[in-house]
């Protein structure tokens, strides 16, 4: 072990020979925000399964699983003969109700003119008034039947409630469906969120500074302050669910994992520019200035804080290091 340390020291000294330093950085402990990082799962904000609202046979399916669907697009069609016939019957009933009402209103008008002259009795006038009111209500009922029939007919074409991607098809062409039967499933690709479980002891810190940095699986980092913090804990894990809305249009796959980081107070940390760090296999080192001479010095690193990295050992307050470690080594 002693010989290994001597060899390592000799290697570090050799690497420092001929090296010159450009810009330098003075190492100093500062109070920095302490970040807590938790696992988060990506999920869509909008996800739905459309179901049949009328009965019939599937005659056309316009989209399949994995297809991108624009908002309002026709997804599939159901036979509409029965619904069309119901609409025609409702329109005929409405026309008949209009005709009956027109006659009843005309009769009432005529009776109202004749009654003061004594040509008809009070009973005849009351009967005409009742018939006119009844015919008016019949017109209203017939019109409502048309609205209901048209709505039922519209159910024979199923439209996409939002733009997105289809993830499931629960029926086949030619299959007979009934109201409430699932047809197609999908999610909105424009609005995504990350969901994490936060232990109760960290919740106050998150509420005090409700901002989260989400690192996606592909390395992208997104900041969001659009949080939904559940007010109740899971009975299994005793943690609180937090939903983090990602910026609109973020291209990320639902079901993928991410890392969510948020501030949990402050503590003294020794941070240096990440550019000052030199990697030699498993060795991490910086060029420490001894007067005008840079000497490669091994350090133990901690967490990365943006473009800075924390140093756990190897440096002390007041040390001067080269900002660009690889540039020094290149001289």
């Amino acid at each position: 072990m002693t010989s290994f340390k001597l060899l390592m020291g000799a290697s570090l000294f050799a690497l420092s020979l001929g090296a010159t330093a450009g810009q330098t950085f003075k190492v100093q402990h500062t109070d920095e925000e302490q970040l807590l990082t938790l696992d988060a799962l990506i999920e869509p904000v909008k996800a739905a399964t459309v179901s049949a609202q009328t009965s019939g046979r599937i005659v056309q399916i316009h989209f399949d699983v994995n297809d991108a669907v624009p908002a309002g697009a026709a997804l599939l069609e159901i036979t509409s003969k029965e619904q069309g016939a119901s609409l025609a019957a409702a329109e005929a009933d409405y026309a008949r109700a209009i005709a009956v009402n027109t006659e009843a209103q005309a009769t009432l008008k005529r009776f109202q003119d004749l009654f003061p002259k004594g040509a008809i009795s009070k009973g005849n006038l009351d009967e005409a008034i009742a018939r006119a009111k009844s015919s008016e209500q019949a017109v209203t009922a017939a019109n409502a039947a048309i609205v209901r029939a048209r709505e039922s007919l519209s159910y024979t074409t199923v439209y996409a409630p939002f733009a997105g991607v289809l993830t499931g098809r629960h029926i086949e062409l030619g299959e007979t469906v009934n109201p409430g039967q699932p047809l197609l499933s999908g999610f909105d690709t424009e609005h995504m969120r990350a969901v994490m479980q936060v232990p109760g002891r960290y919740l106050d810190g998150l509420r005090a500074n409700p901002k989260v940095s989400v690192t996606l699986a592909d390395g992208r980092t997104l900041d969001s302050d659009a949080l939904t913090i559940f007010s109740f804990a899971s009975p299994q894990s005793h943690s609180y669910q937090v939903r983090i809305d990602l910026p609109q249009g973020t291209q990320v796959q639902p079901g993928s994992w991410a890392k969510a980081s948020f501030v949990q107070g402050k503590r003294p940390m020794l941070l240096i520019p990440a550019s000052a760090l030199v990697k030699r296999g498993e060795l991490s080192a910086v060029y420490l200035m001894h007067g005008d001479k840079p000497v490669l010095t091994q350090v133990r690193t901690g967490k990365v804080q943006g473009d800075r990295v924390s140093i756990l050992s190897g440096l002390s307050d007041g040390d001067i290091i080269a900002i660009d470690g690889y540039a020094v080594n290149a001289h």
Side-chain angles (χ1 to χ4, degrees):
M1 180 61 71
T2 302
S3 60
F4 174 77
K5 289 181 178 179
L6 291 174
L7 179 61
M8 178 63 73
S11 299
L12 293 179
F13 180 76
L15 285 172
S16 68
L17 292 178
T20 59
Q23 292 182 329
T24 58
F25 175 81
K26 185 176 182 180
V27 176
Q28 195 72 38
H29 275 87
T30 55
D31 286 336
E32 300 289 341
E33 293 178 338
Q34 185 176 5
L35 297 179
L36 175 66
T37 301
L38 300 174
D39 289 330
L41 184 65
I42 303 298
E43 68 176 27
V45 175
K46 296 180 183 178
T49 296
V50 292
S51 301
Q53 294 179 276
T54 188
S55 58
R57 182 170 51 85
I58 303 295
V59 292
Q60 280 189 325
I61 301 177
H62 300 294
F63 296 93
D64 207 341
V65 174
N66 204 42
D67 287 345
V69 180
L75 298 174
L76 56 82
E77 296 180 23
I78 302 172
T79 50
S80 59
K81 290 184 178 180
E82 181 180 349
Q83 292 81 359
S86 297
L87 176 59
E91 290 174 340
D93 290 341
Y94 179 73
R96 182 165 55 252
I98 288 290
V100 171
N101 182 55
T102 300
E103 180 184 359
Q105 299 303 325
T107 300
L108 175 60
K109 180 66 172 58
R110 187 169 60 254
F111 278 23
Q112 287 173 335
D113 293 338
L114 293 175
F115 179 72
K117 301 175 182 179
I120 60 171
S121 65
K122 182 66 168 59
N124 290 334
L125 178 61
D126 291 342
E127 185 179 348
I129 293 173
R131 189 180 301 112
K133 290 182 178 180
S134 176
S135 62
E136 284 181 347
Q137 296 301 319
V139 170
T140 302
N143 186 56
I146 289 180
V147 173
R148 184 168 56 251
R150 284 176 179 167
E151 188 73 8
S152 180
L153 181 61
S154 71
Y155 292 155
T156 59
T157 301
V158 179
Y159 297 95
F162 47 75
V165 174
L166 288 184
T167 58
R169 191 182 78 181
H170 312 295
I171 41 81
E172 298 293 336
L173 188 65
E175 184 177 343
T176 300
V177 296
N178 296 305
Q181 183 174 341
L183 302 174
L184 298 167
S185 299
F187 67 87
D188 177 15
T189 56
E190 286 295 309
H191 301 85
M192 308 297 290
R193 65 189 175 203
V195 180
M196 65 178 177
Q197 305 294 329
V198 179
R201 62 183 180 276
Y202 300 121
L203 208 60
D204 289 341
L206 180 59
R207 285 174 174 154
N209 191 358
K211 184 177 181 180
V212 177
S213 178
V214 179
T215 302
L216 304 178
D218 59 7
R220 285 179 294 162
T221 299
L222 306 171
D223 293 329
S224 176
D225 57 2
L227 308 182
T228 302
I229 303 175
F230 282 30
S231 58
F232 54 89
S234 165
Q236 288 79 28
S237 63
H238 306 290
S239 60
Y240 294 79
Q241 186 175 115
V242 177
R243 292 174 174 172
I244 310 155
D245 290 340
L246 302 180
Q248 184 174 348
T250 300
Q251 297 299 313
V252 59
Q253 287 299 319
S256 60
W257 288 100
K259 295 291 186 180
S261 303
F262 55 93
V263 175
Q264 281 291 305
K266 292 186 177 182
R267 68 181 179 90
M269 297 180 67
L270 196 155
L271 298 176
I272 66 170
S275 60
L277 206 61
V278 177
K279 293 286 188 179
R280 292 284 186 269
E282 296 183 358
L283 169 69
S284 297
V286 297
Y287 278 100
L288 178 64
M289 302 302 298
H290 288 263
D292 294 334
K293 185 178 180 181
V295 176
L296 195 63
T297 303
Q298 185 176 6
V299 295
R300 187 160 64 93
T301 60
K303 292 183 178 180
V304 175
Q305 300 270 91
D307 59 352
R308 300 180 298 171
V309 59
S310 65
I311 300 299
L312 304 180
S313 64
L315 293 175
S316 302
D317 286 349
D319 287 344
I320 305 296
I321 63 172
I323 288 182
D324 192 339
Y326 287 102
V328 172
N329 190 37
H331 288 291

